[in-house]
Amino acid sequence: MPGDRGQTRSRAHPGAAVGLAGCLVLLAFLARQPSLDSPGFATVWPSGGIGVLWFVLRGARLRSLDTLLLAAAMAAANAILGADPRINAVFAGAAVAQTLLAVWLLRRWSPELWGCGGDRPLDRPRMLPRYGGALAVAMATGAVLGTAGASAVTGDYEPVAGLLFFGRTLVSSLIVVTLGILVGEWLTRPRPRGSLIGDGPVVELLAASVFTSAMYGLAFALDDLPLVFPLLAATVWFGLRFSTLVSAAHCFVVGVATQTLTMTGYGPFAAVERADIGSLLAEFYVATIVATGLALSTGRDERQALSAELLRTQEETLYQISLREAVIGSMKEGLFVLDDTGELLVHNAAAADIFGLAREEVDWDALAERSGRWADGSTVDTPQRPSLRALAGEAVHDVELLITRADGTERVVSVSAIPLPRDEVRRRSRALVIFRDISTEHARRAELAGFAGVVAHDLRNPLAAIDGWTEMIADELETGTLSTDLARDFVSRVRSSSRRMHDLIRDLLAHATSSQRDLEVGPVDVAGLVAEVAAARHAEPHVLVEPVPAVLADPVLVRQVLDNLIGNALKYVAPGVEPEITVRGCRTDARMVTVQVADNGIGIPAAERERVFDEFHRAHFRDYEGSGLGLSIVRRIILRHDGTIVVRANPAGQGSVFEFTLPAHD
Ligand code: ADP
């Protein structure tokens, strides 16, 4: 809470009350000397300010020991000054009343001020009228009470005495309370507190102090010359160049000096014929310099605070801009903000990249022209465009569009667009559009959907067969007509279906791992692997291996490639034909090795040669069993090694030649 610090901190130690009471009594001793021709009123100075500061610092209440102590101190001071006991009682009562009223008014009219309920120093010109007004009203009340009481007691009425009373207490409260509040606030400010004198250089402070001493020395030494007005220059200097605290301290020093010198008979005010009028003039002079000094220095404080705030806001704005640039610049998603005139207000590098455009080529027309189709290729009606829907106030999420990049290739992007707060200055709607390239994801999704469909179909077939045959066995058992031969036939059909399922599941697993397994690349001896595969298949007599240069690849995956190709070459032969397979390899360019697996099998019709590498595509499904996954696994593995694979008719006449490339190992 803003008020807390001032409230709690202002409850100064009770010792402070005793000290301030002692101060009042001491000042009374000092004030005994003046030869002021006072019309019977004690001239305890500056009692008004000390009482108010005391109550502000202590946060004291009306009914408190502080009030009693203040009354006692005032009575003691008046007694020291030799006041008549009845007059003493009137003045002490008036002093307590004005003090309590001043504190009460300050807490009401300046609650934001340190010590009065808040935690602010006196640092804004607009705080001054209420602050000065509270002190003036309280001191005027004290003056009226004191003057009226004294007149009632003595039967004498002297208007100047009332004015003097008011002037003394007002001036003392202005210089003492102001300085006290400013110092108290500075001392209780959280650290680091900043410089006590503000930003002005110390040398200037010294110069201003020397100037003040010189001007006051001159004015008070040459008291037959009216040199009071140039003194204001010192106040203006302090007010314009230093903090309110320093300016208030300056006012305090010159105020005390002016009053003391005047009371002791020095200076232009003491030179006035009537001593009480001279004193009155001195009081109003001090009030004037306090008002001037505070008005100027609080104005300066306010200006400084505003310019510091402005600087901070500017720095914050620059920071926010650089942060925004960094964030949107590092995004992989394309982003742009456009308004309803079609102007692109912001766009990032990724937006240009996704469209394959240079950053400066990006504008709304270029983007709109390249993104007019849905992911399925159909045309997007203009009002259905995500950006236009967002400009109309609708939030659009994850809409898939087909875009044409600058190089003519097509990509699928997922677009979200949200309306932004309207630009009220230029009266335009704005929208934020974010999009990302999901071509790979999209292709994979399509592939997965097809894959899942075929898997479901291919697994269901043997399952249905198993179902059918077992049902028939059950029927036969029921009727008791199941012969051993029939049972053998049924069981063999069931086993064949379950083997098909088993093979399919194995191939599916191999298919999944061929793309997921991390490549563990190393030098691979292809000829050695071919020999291993042939041996594992007991097909050594059918496989001829010629030398193959070493390749740099994942040996497990290369073995899978060779196993699939050799397995197919052994499988796809015409009945009665002995398979003959030849594997050879050579270095085709600086980077790659080409490997050929040639067979004497049934061959693949020209129209099927591309498609046999697709998942589940089978060129000869009638007479040969298979899942249609082997070659798609092979192609996937080869592509993962940045190689290529094709199949052609065997130039030797019968069969096919599978030819693939893999990175060479040097
Ligand atoms: P599968 O052999 O399980 O049917 P593949 O993906 O290994 O599946 O092969 C796809 C299709 O390509 C096969 O069904 C077959 O029609 C054809 N094919 C593959 N290898 C050969 C080959 N060496 N000779 C003739 N046809 C082949």
Side-chain angles (χ1 to χ4, degrees):
M1 282 191 302
D4 272 9
R5 190 161 66 92
Q7 284 285 28
T8 40
R9 295 293 172 93
S10 65
R11 297 207 171 274
H13 190 271
V18 178
L20 287 163
C23 221
L24 278 171
V25 176
L26 181 71
L27 281 170
F29 266 113
L30 296 177
R32 251 162 36 142
Q33 321 305 335
S35 55
L36 190 62
D37 184 16
S38 169
F41 293 161
T43 53
V44 180
W45 187 89
S47 64
I50 290 182
V52 177
L53 182 61
W54 166 352
F55 272 56
V56 164
L57 287 182
R58 293 264 303 137
R61 294 159 185 280
L62 168 62
R63 276 187 285 171
S64 68
L65 276 180
D66 289 77
T67 309
L68 281 180
L69 193 60
L70 176 65
M74 292 305 299
N78 289 339
I80 289 166
L81 286 160
D84 168 277
R86 287 177 306 159
I87 297 271
N88 186 343
V90 167
F91 280 177
V96 170
Q98 77 187 14
T99 303
L100 292 170
L101 180 62
V103 173
W104 187 80
L105 288 177
L106 282 175
R107 286 179 188 156
R108 251 144 214 82
W109 293 355
S110 300
E112 74 280 27
L113 195 60
W114 185 91
C116 304
D119 59 0
R120 287 195 73 96
L122 203 60
D123 60 357
R124 299 281 181 274
R126 63 175 172 276
M127 296 165 85
L128 292 179
R130 280 175 294 133
Y131 170 74
L135 292 178
V137 169
M139 298 309 146
T141 309
V144 168
L145 289 176
T147 315
S151 306
V153 171
T154 58
D156 237 3
Y157 174 65
E158 177 58 74
V160 178
L163 271 180
L164 269 175
F165 193 120
F166 172 61
R168 264 196 305 275
T169 51
L170 177 64
V171 166
S172 82
S173 62
L174 275 179
I175 61 176
V176 172
V177 179
T178 308
L179 187 60
I181 285 180
L182 288 166
V183 171
E185 187 279 330
W186 189 81
L187 288 175
T188 55
R189 208 180 273 178
R191 282 155 210 271
R193 295 193 281 236
S195 163
L196 182 67
I197 63 164
D199 301 331
V202 180
V203 182
E204 188 180 342
L205 181 62
L206 284 176
S209 306
V210 170
F211 175 76
T212 305
S213 312
M215 290 308 287
Y216 274 81
L218 222 64
F220 280 79
L222 308 173
D223 54 17
D224 44 347
L225 289 176
L227 278 180
V228 177
F229 298 105
L231 296 180
L232 263 178
T235 302
V236 170
W237 187 345
F238 272 87
L240 284 178
R241 297 285 301 157
F242 299 99
S243 67
T244 305
L245 200 161
V246 174
S247 174
H250 178 259
C251 290
F252 180 87
V253 172
V254 298
V256 170
T258 303
Q259 290 278 15
T260 311
L261 288 170
T262 304
M263 286 164 80
T264 47
Y266 293 102
F269 304 111
V272 176
E273 214 167 299
R274 268 183 68 179
D276 54 353
I277 299 293
S279 182
L280 194 63
L281 287 178
E283 284 161 7
F284 284 101
Y285 164 73
V286 177
T288 310
I289 60 166
V290 171
T292 310
L294 286 181
L296 291 175
S297 57
T298 51
R300 175 193 163 281
D301 277 1
E302 184 171 49
R303 267 195 316 281
Q304 282 216 328
L306 285 177
S307 60
E309 177 70 28
L310 197 68
L311 207 70
R312 247 203 4 256
T313 316
Q314 265 172 359
E315 277 169 6
E316 177 68 14
T317 311
L318 284 178
Y319 172 72
Q320 293 292 349
I321 290 175
S322 62
L323 194 71
R324 192 193 71 187
E325 292 290 316
V327 169
I328 70 168
S330 64
M331 281 169 67
K332 285 204 178 61
E333 287 86 1
L335 170 152
F336 62 83
V337 174
L338 93 157
D339 68 18
D340 52 15
T341 64
E343 189 185 342
L344 274 202
L345 307 172
V346 176
H347 71 274
N348 66 354
D353 280 356
I354 291 175
F355 278 87
L357 294 165
R359 189 111 196 241
E360 59 282 359
E361 289 172 344
V362 175
D363 59 33
W364 171 237
D365 290 337
L367 301 187
E369 183 193 313
R370 299 178 177 283
S371 57
R373 282 177 298 155
W374 300 115
D376 64 9
S378 59
T379 309
V380 180
D381 294 338
T382 305
Q384 287 305 312
R385 284 182 172 278
S387 41
L388 299 186
R389 281 163 67 189
L391 281 173
E394 183 190 351
V396 182
H397 294 290
D398 301 323
V399 169
E400 291 179 7
L401 293 181
L402 194 64
I403 62 161
T404 313
R405 283 166 54 87
D407 61 9
T409 54
E410 291 185 335
R411 312 291 294 174
V412 181
V413 293
S414 166
V415 184
S416 294
I418 49 169
L420 290 179
R422 205 176 141 74
D423 178 353
E424 290 300 351
V425 180
R426 300 201 291 170
R427 297 173 174 281
R428 294 182 186 176
S429 312
R430 295 175 301 185
L432 167 71
V433 181
I434 297 180
F435 53 98
R436 66 193 169 90
D437 186 340
I438 55 157
S439 309
T440 321
E441 204 179 308
H442 192 260
R444 205 168 276 166
R445 230 171 37 218
E447 184 188 330
L448 198 72
F451 190 75
V454 179
V455 168
H457 174 260
D458 279 22
L459 281 176
R460 211 178 285 139
N461 278 349
L463 252 186
I466 291 172
D467 250 9
W469 290 118
T470 45
E471 203 177 308
M472 281 174 81
I473 295 173
D475 286 349
E476 295 289 330
L477 281 173
E478 197 101 328
T479 53
T481 56
L482 185 65
S483 72
T484 318
D485 280 351
L486 201 58
R488 196 171 292 127
D489 183 37
F490 285 169
V491 169
S492 125
R493 286 168 193 273
V494 168
R495 286 186 64 190
S496 142
S497 292
S498 87
R499 201 170 44 249
R500 264 172 55 212
M501 280 182 77
H502 181 269
D503 289 351
L504 183 61
I505 290 169
R506 185 203 55 209
D507 286 354
L508 282 172
L509 218 63
H511 186 269
T513 48
S514 68
S515 59
Q516 249 124 61
R517 186 175 184 277
D518 284 340
L519 287 189
E520 287 172 21
V521 177
V524 179
D525 170 15
V526 175
L529 281 181
V530 170
E532 270 181 35
V533 169
R537 290 182 171 271
H538 308 292
E540 288 103 323
H542 305 290
V543 181
L544 173 69
V545 199
E546 292 179 8
V548 180
V551 298
L552 191 65
D554 185 318
V556 175
L557 296 182
V558 175
R559 192 181 197 286
Q560 209 172 342
V561 167
L562 294 169
D563 190 52
N564 271 298
L565 294 180
I566 292 170
N568 282 348
L570 291 170
K571 179 164 66 168
Y572 293 108
V573 282
V577 175
E578 280 290 304
E580 280 172 27
I581 302 161
T582 311
V583 180
R584 62 176 80 89
C586 63
R587 195 66 179 260
T588 32
D589 68 37
R591 281 189 326 107
M592 304 304 266
V593 167
T594 302
V595 182
Q596 290 185 338
V597 180
D599 63 48
N600 62 336
I602 54 173
I604 302 172
E608 300 279 343
R609 286 189 195 134
E610 283 263 325
R611 301 182 59 205
V612 286
F613 295 102
D614 292 345
E615 278 95 356
F616 305 105
H617 187 81
R618 311 198 59 228
H620 315 94
F621 46 86
R622 290 234 171 81
D623 309 312
Y624 300 87
E625 283 205 347
S627 64
L629 283 171
L631 287 183
S632 71
I633 296 171
V634 167
R635 183 177 59 176
R636 190 173 277 188
I637 293 173
I638 297 296
L639 291 181
R640 286 190 71 194
H641 285 84
D642 294 327
T644 52
I645 182 161
V646 287
V647 61
R648 334 177 203 280
N650 193 340
Q654 177 75 15
S656 324
V657 179
F658 283 85
E659 185 178 291
F660 62 88
T661 61
L662 284 173
H665 173 63
D666 293 311

